[in-house]
Amino acid sequence: MLYGIATAITALLLAALLSALLRVLALRLGLVDRRRRARPLPLLGGLAVVLSTCLVAAAGGWTGTAPLGDGVGRLLAAGAAVAVLGTAADVWRLKTPFLLVGTALAAACVVPYDEIGPVAGIAAVVWIACVAAAFRGLDHADGLAGTVGVLTAFGVGVCAAAEVMDDLAVLLSVLAAALTGFLMHNWHPARVAFGSGGSLFTGFVVASAALLTRTGYGTVSTVAVLFALTATASADAVLVLVSRKLAGRPLLRRGPDHLAHRLRRLGPTPPGATVLFGLATFAAVLVGVLVHTGWAEPKAVLWVAGAALAVVLGLLRVPAYAPRRPTELNSVRAQTPGSGTRTQSRVPGTRGRPEGRTARGVPTAGGATRVRADSSGARLRTEPFRVLRALRQSGAGAPRAPRGRAPYDAETGASGVQVPRRQLEYPPPPPRQSTSPQVRASLRIRDG
């Protein structure tokens, strides 16, 4: 008892200290959570939880005060490998399928196939990988993943203690204490983010430990208890997948469509949404612990399933996606020249000004407007000042347009879009004819 309290306090203080140190390191390396554009947070906070849990648990096994069994030691090593994979995803932005495959391979080293069978073992591997990915999805709000992790780890630890699995219970208590120390820096407003390393590690250890505690029980009761222990994370994942499928969006692309996002749109503040999520997690975990210890029937889990289904269906009605912007360019709008009105064309970047004029409405030299496209080839902009400057330096002035309405000539290109106009060139006057000598002589005689 005293050893458990001492290890929990040690893990809490160590996690709080490492979170502050790793925050400074993440800021210097530029490892920030770019999903939160208004307030980018440094990552590597979850790495403090991983280091605290592994160091305290390994110290207990090395000193002999709390030796780790073969299954628990293998679980801790596999969880550390998953944490390394998640940290690599934070640094090099690995794809989600790659993380799922890596987590499944680590889970395959933990599942006891000799006790549950190969078919159930494969299902358990898939379930552990999905729960770890669901915990990673919870890392989208301040303090949310840490709160759910603390409550779930504590509940699974109680189940392990009921099964007299002391080494597993100590590991889960150390994990819960480390998450509590991390929450000192992650509560709203957070100063450090959890990251994929810490979230995958927490979900993997909690799911694997819950599976080990239920080994040897019936299939129906085992499924009921495992669902109750991870109900909130599962409900969040189901809500996200269903909403993205209905909206026609990619399933693995992140977006503001999680449970906490929708709760905040209904009015609660960020800490309030986290507290509501924590209360729901506590109720579901309590039902799972009561069913595992025999204080409640497995049918009690139906209340948890019904509440989760009602929450998912109710929050699906909350809008989560902004309306899409039109991707087409503005169509060309032109009036018929024969109607006596000025013809205009809508060109991207010109805002519907008459062609042959600059942004200030002054005709360019020769009536032509110089147009240049940017790197994307979509937006165009006029450059009248550069043309005028070149003409002034060369000494050639452009003919000034007469007062009033300047004569313009509209030309249409092969694509059907009108091109900049030219100013009409008036024909030069005919050369003056020389007067014949006979006429000049008669004029001199007449004039005297």
Side-chain angles (χ1 to χ4, degrees), residues 220-287:
V220 177
S221 61
T222 298
V223 171
V225 172
L226 294 181
F227 169 75
L229 293 174
T230 58
T232 52
S234 303
D236 181 75
V238 170
L239 174 64
V240 169
L241 294 178
V242 172
S243 63
R244 292 177 184 177
K245 184 65 176 179
L246 294 177
R249 301 173 66 91
L251 298 180
L252 300 181
R253 179 180 297 177
R254 295 179 177 179
D257 49 6
H258 292 264
L259 275 173
H261 292 142
R262 298 172 190 265
L263 283 176
R264 289 184 58 185
R265 288 183 177 89
L266 295 178
T269 60
T274 303
V275 170
L276 290 176
F277 212 94
L279 291 176
T281 304
F282 176 77
V285 169
L286 180 61
V287 172

Side-chain angles (χ1 to χ4, degrees), residues 108-417:
C109 302
V110 177
V111 174
Y113 299 98
D114 53 348
E115 299 184 13
I116 64 175
V119 177
I122 295 175
V125 167
V126 175
W127 179 76
I128 293 174
C130 292
V131 170
F135 268 83
R136 180 173 179 258
L138 292 178
D139 186 28
H140 60 268
D142 296 346
L144 184 60
T147 302
V148 176
V150 168
L151 295 173
T152 308
F154 182 77
V156 178
V158 172
C159 295
E163 297 295 327
V164 199
M165 303 174 68
D166 296 336
D167 50 354
L168 189 58
V170 169
L171 175 62
L172 291 170
S173 64
V174 170
L175 175 60
L179 289 171
T180 305
F182 165 73
L183 281 176
M184 295 180 180
H185 301 271
N186 188 243
W187 194 256
H188 184 80
R191 296 186 298 272
V192 63
F194 206 19
S196 299
S199 57
L200 286 176
F201 173 81
T202 303
F204 179 84
V205 172
V206 167
S208 301
L211 179 67
L212 293 178
T213 57
R214 291 300 302 180
T215 301
Y217 285 88
T219 304
V220 177
S221 61
T222 298
V223 171
V225 172
L226 294 181
F227 169 75
L229 293 174
T230 58
T232 52
S234 303
D236 181 75
V238 170
L239 174 64
V240 169
L241 294 178
V242 172
S243 63
R244 292 177 184 177
K245 184 65 176 179
L246 294 177
R249 301 173 66 91
L251 298 180
L252 300 181
R253 179 180 297 177
R254 295 179 177 179
D257 49 6
H258 292 264
L259 275 173
H261 292 142
R262 298 172 190 265
L263 283 176
R264 289 184 58 185
R265 288 183 177 89
L266 295 178
T269 60
T274 303
V275 170
L276 290 176
F277 212 94
L279 291 176
T281 304
F282 176 77
V285 169
L286 180 61
V287 172
V289 172
L290 292 177
V291 172
H292 175 77
T293 54
W295 289 87
E297 296 292 332
K299 296 180 181 180
V301 181
L302 295 178
W303 292 97
V304 178
L309 181 61
V311 169
V312 170
L313 294 179
L315 293 181
L316 274 177
R317 302 176 62 87
V318 178
Y321 307 110
R324 297 183 179 180
R325 298 178 180 178
T327 56
E328 311 83 20
L329 295 177
N330 294 328
S331 59
V332 177
R333 302 176 181 177
Q335 300 178 359
T336 57
S339 61
T341 58
R342 180 176 298 179
T343 304
Q344 297 182 2
S345 65
R346 183 67 58 88
V347 181
T350 60
R351 298 183 180 179
R353 299 187 182 96
E355 296 174 343
R357 291 182 178 267
T358 62
R360 298 180 180 270
V362 180
T364 57
T369 303
R370 188 173 183 181
V371 181
R372 186 179 68 177
D374 60 358
S375 59
S376 62
R379 299 183 60 186
L380 305 176
R381 63 178 183 268
T382 58
E383 297 182 352
F385 300 105
R386 186 176 298 177
V387 177
L388 292 177
R389 190 182 300 110
L391 291 175
R392 290 173 182 172
Q393 293 177 0
S394 62
R400 180 175 298 178
R403 292 181 178 273
R405 186 173 179 179
Y408 286 99
D409 181 21
E411 295 181 359
T412 304
S415 61
V417 181

